[in-house]
Amino acid sequence: MTRLTGNIDLTESLVSGSKEVILETQGLTRYFGKAVAVDNLSITVEQGEVFGLLGPNGAGKSTAIKMLTTLLPLSAGRATIAGYDVTHQAAEVRRLLGYVPQALSADGSLTGYENLLIFAKLYDIPRNRRERSIREVLDFMGLQAAAHRLVRNYSGGMIRKLEIAQSIMHQPKILFLDEPTVGLDPIARSQVWQLVQQLRLDYGTTIFLTTHFLEEADNLCTQVAIMQQGKIAIAGLPSDLKAALNQPNATLDDVFIHYTGDQLTSGVNYSDTARTRRTAKRLG
Ligand SMILES: Nc1ncnc2c1ncn2[C@@H]1O[C@H](COP(=O)(O)OP(=O)(O)OP(=O)(O)O)[C@@H](O)[C@H]1O
Ligand SMILES: [Mg+2]
């Protein structure tokens, strides 16, 4: 695994233990018509954290991420990334973040290399540095051997790795991953989480993720917030949330159920199933 070039300042600040606030929201709110999807969300994330936004289907997680990544206007409240306002300084904010959306977004009719080249151009990576950047991210994600294969022939795990590779080409300070491991087998999931952890440890990249795999969130996240119907029901260190239940051997699943009802017992949910079907269709 090679190191990505640059980002030395981030690594140094991680090592020195300085705690820069990288993301802050105050009263972040989004309505769709009269329905509130995100309701007065106030959170703070420090540089180098892995922040897990958890919650049942429809809780408002993706909507929150879309506002934080400047893709959706806020109905009320404010949010900043590294001090830049997502509404009024959207261009600066976009330069600082990477985003992997919930639905698969890589183009199946292109090769992995071609998908990455599009992102290199999108991120304004100078022509004479593009090849090196592509090689570095392919290397980092372990995709070198598949670089010139059509993405429609990739496995789900390889596509997710490619999408993460796309999203880190410009070395973002904060990476938003909306359900990066949905539909992946346990081995592919664990590989994706290892790479995420590596990004954080090697480069100090802050990670903001959503997932329905609570055991994995427990292992990976430095802070979690559980959302329910647009509001934060509870937030904190996973260990503190488990301890507060006063229940021997409590898991994050127990915390989730405590604050959201018995949503976990439904097993495979409709949106996961629909997504898996869409993915299968796209990949032929
Ligand atoms: N473009 C839209 N128009 C109208 N309603 C929307 C739109 N996008 C999301 N919603 C609604 O907002 C609410 C929150 O949706 P969101 O996708 O943010 O949930 P989520 O927590 O990401 O769920 P999941 O775990 O299923 O991905 C839902 O009630 C959803 O139907
Ligand atoms: Mg979602």
Side-chain angles (χ1 to χ4, degrees):
M1 185 181 287
T2 53
R3 290 180 66 83
L4 307 176
T5 49
N7 270 14
I8 291 161
D9 54 330
L10 296 181
T11 313
E12 278 174 357
S13 69
L14 186 72
V15 170
S16 68
S18 61
K19 298 219 167 171
E20 178 198 349
V21 170
I22 183 135
L23 183 156
E24 192 167 20
T25 74
Q26 287 157 355
L28 187 71
T29 299
R30 173 71 202 200
Y31 283 91
F32 291 111
K34 284 190 179 142
V36 65
V38 175
D39 190 359
N40 209 16
L41 199 75
S42 297
I43 50 175
T44 302
V45 180
E46 287 173 351
Q47 193 247 309
E49 279 202 84
V50 181
F51 183 92
L53 190 59
L54 313 177
N57 294 131
K61 305 179 297 294
S62 296
T63 305
I65 285 189
K66 284 179 196 156
M67 287 191 280
L68 295 172
T69 52
T70 77
L71 296 172
L72 198 62
L74 283 57
S75 301
R78 70 187 291 263
T80 56
I81 304 275
Y84 293 108
D85 188 288
V86 298
T87 303
H88 304 293
Q89 294 168 298
E92 286 85 348
V93 167
R94 286 186 199 126
R95 268 195 286 278
L96 293 173
L97 63 84
Y99 170 51
V100 177
Q102 183 167 339
L104 293 184
S105 59
D107 189 334
S109 65
L110 301 178
T111 65
Y113 173 90
E114 288 164 342
N115 270 283
L116 289 168
L117 188 58
I118 289 173
F119 273 74
K121 291 177 182 170
L122 190 72
Y123 288 136
D124 262 346
I125 295 175
R127 189 181 287 271
N128 63 357
R129 279 187 28 219
R130 282 181 201 153
E131 286 299 323
R132 194 180 71 188
S133 296
I134 292 174
R135 212 172 38 244
E136 282 176 352
V137 291
L138 281 168
D139 234 18
F140 186 82
M141 302 307 287
L143 286 174
Q144 315 87 325
H148 297 289
R149 276 169 51 194
L150 287 181
V151 168
R152 76 161 65 95
N153 298 325
Y154 280 20
S155 70
M158 288 163 77
I159 295 178
R160 259 342 203 181
K161 285 184 200 167
L162 177 68
E163 290 174 334
I164 297 175
Q166 287 171 177
S167 71
I168 61 172
M169 286 198 88
H170 58 310
Q171 299 166 3
K173 272 190 132 187
I174 180 164
L175 179 59
F176 291 88
L177 300 170
D178 197 351
E179 294 193 37
T181 59
V182 73
L184 304 191
D185 69 41
I187 293 172
R189 284 212 307 272
S190 138
Q191 285 174 347
V192 167
W193 291 136
Q194 273 172 26
L195 287 162
V196 167
Q197 189 67 287
Q198 199 74 40
L199 270 176
R200 174 185 173 235
L201 295 175
D202 285 1
Y203 308 109
T205 312
T206 307
I207 312 287
F208 189 107
L209 61 86
T210 73
T211 180
H212 291 288
F213 295 101
L214 301 188
E215 201 183 324
E216 293 168 0
D218 193 1
N219 289 332
L220 198 71
C221 294
T222 52
Q223 199 189 159
V224 295
I226 297 179
M227 256 184 118
Q228 166 78 322
Q229 294 178 350
K231 286 186 169 34
I232 298 281
I234 186 84
L237 290 173
S239 54
D240 287 349
L241 301 190
K242 288 185 287 182
L245 279 191
N246 268 332
Q247 194 178 305
N249 305 318
T251 63
L252 207 52
D253 282 17
D254 297 323
V255 175
F256 188 97
I257 291 164
H258 181 84
Y259 287 100
T260 65
D262 61 351
Q263 310 269 357
L264 278 179
T265 55
S266 59
V268 174
N269 57 57
Y270 170 75
S271 54
D272 278 355
T273 313
R275 232 175 280 142
T276 308
R277 283 204 194 114
R278 277 200 302 275
T279 304
K281 201 170 160 193
R282 276 195 44 214
L283 297 177

